[in-house]
Structures are given as structure tokens and as C-alpha cells.
Amino acid sequence: MSKYDDASWHYGNEFPENLPTKNGATHIGMFLNWCINNDLHSEEVKEDLNEQIESLKRREITGAEILIDAFDEKFSDYMLNDLGNAFAKDYYEDETDFTNKFSSFATDYVNLFDSIAEESDFEYETFYHIEDTYENYDLMKQIIDYRFQEWKEYKSLN
């Protein structure tokens, strides 16, 4: 099993003391949410978490909440199907051929929310101050949708 990310990696060192540790899972949860909503999760996850997946799709819970409650804050390859893993390995991870040519999830995440904040004459104190809301997810979803199409073209999957 290979781990893409872990919320606990984020709430050490420079993590703001005034934030709850769950904020370390927000960005991971947004990607996980997108994967689930695009049926890129594994059969194992589908079987084990059917109820939570349905709650997520009804927007009753967020991807970060599933990550924390069901996956001990860890985002791993067993959670995704083959297509989901192929995309995550190229886009979620940094310094891949795809991210070097286009962008990575983390870069897109920071750039999106920094530009939105800038438009409102606001600045996020840190990456971890971005709220785990469906309003924010919907903004990030558009970017991931776009990158997924780019990635499929890049991989000649269309």
C-alpha cells in the first residue's frame, strides 16, 4: 500500500496552533470527494463505506470527514480504482511529468484560493485556513475537472 497524503503530516511543525487538526485534512478531503463523486474509488471502499459515500454524494458530509472518520486521516492507493490511482499518481503527487507540464493538485489548490482571496482584498494566513465547505469544494471541483480532462488527453485516454 502506498500513501499519497496523511493529515498528520500537516499538523506538525508550521501548522497554526489556533486551528483544529482537522484542517490538515481539508485539501486531501476535497480531492477524495472529487474521486468519489467521479466513481474513481475502489470496490473495497464502495463496499465498506456505502452509507458514507451516499451521505457524501448528498453533501451531508465532506471528503475530509470521511478521510478522518473512515481512513484514519490517510489517503492511500487502496482507496482508488486503477483510473483513480493513475490520475492521483500524476496529478496529486508533485514533480511528475504531468505536473511539470501542467500543474499539481496542491499548486492548483493554493493558486485558486489565493486568487479568490486576492479578489476580495483578503489573504489566507496559511493553506490550512481554507474552510472545508461545499462552496470551496465546488470551486476546486472545476479545477480538478479541467485537469482530469487535460490528463486524459495527455495520456491519450479520450
Side-chain angles (χ1 to χ4, degrees), residues 1 18 24 31 36 44 46 50 53 56 60-61 68 75 78 83 91 98 119 131 137 139 147 151 154 156 158:
M1 177 177 73
N18 61 330
F31 190 79
I36 290 171
E44 180 183 347
K46 212 177 280 188
N50 189 47
I53 289 169
L56 178 90
E60 297 168 350
I61 60 174
I68 292 165
F75 178 43
Y78 81 90
L83 183 61
Y91 177 58
F98 179 79
E119 288 171 10
E131 294 176 355
Y137 168 75
L139 295 169
R147 290 290 181 224
W151 176 80
Y154 175 75
S156 302
N158 282 340

Side-chain angles (χ1 to χ4, degrees), residues 84-136:
N85 274 307
F87 180 54
K89 285 178 181 157
D90 283 343
Y91 177 58
Y92 193 86
E93 294 185 0
D94 293 323
E95 300 301 318
T96 68
D97 289 340
F98 179 79
T99 61
N100 289 336
K101 185 172 181 169
F102 299 95
S103 186
S104 70
F105 172 76
T107 299
D108 283 343
Y109 184 85
V110 168
N111 288 345
L112 170 68
F113 291 108
D114 279 352
S115 68
I116 290 168
E118 192 174 298
E119 288 171 10
S120 302
D121 200 28
F122 169 77
E123 187 176 325
Y124 283 103
E125 191 175 322
T126 69
F127 174 88
Y128 305 108
H129 283 80
I130 296 164
E131 294 176 355
D132 184 25
T133 65
Y134 269 99
E135 180 181 3
N136 284 339

Side-chain angles (χ1 to χ4, degrees), residues 40 80-87:
L40 297 178
L80 302 177
N81 63 23
D82 290 343
L83 183 61
N85 274 307
F87 180 54

